[in-house]
Amino acid sequence: MKRIPNSPLVGRALEVAEKHLGIEELSKRLNAPVETIRVWGVGHATMPEYKFLRLIDVLTELPIPWEEWNP
């Protein structure tokens, strides 16, 4: 299984998705335990590529203004 290298991009993407959905809904959409999502977000584990691609799908479904991506 391919894995995405630990990156601030993964953490930021998870942060934005969680802000809009809440951690429980994000967990459902990624089909991953909350604890695992937290570990990916802080970079203590590497997120599988297929989960990252699903995260991108989740984010593109949300009405997130561009300004929100630049904290």
Side-chain angles (χ1 to χ4, degrees), residues 6-70:
N6 291 343
S7 162
L9 175 64
V10 171
R12 183 70 178 129
L14 288 168
E15 179 184 323
V16 171
E18 181 180 346
K19 178 180 177 186
H20 284 269
L21 298 171
I23 192 65
E24 294 297 328
E25 181 62 25
L26 181 58
S27 173
K28 288 178 192 172
R29 292 192 187 199
L30 292 180
N31 193 26
V34 169
E35 300 79 26
T36 301
I37 293 171
R38 297 264 188 244
V39 171
W40 290 337
V42 296
H44 290 179
T46 306
M47 185 178 212
E49 184 179 73
Y50 74 98
K51 293 289 186 181
F52 180 73
L53 294 174
R54 177 64 189 130
L55 175 59
I56 298 305
D57 288 342
V58 167
L59 287 170
T60 58
E61 294 167 1
L62 299 173
I64 302 171
W66 181 251
E67 302 80 37
E68 192 169 323
W69 285 101
N70 190 13

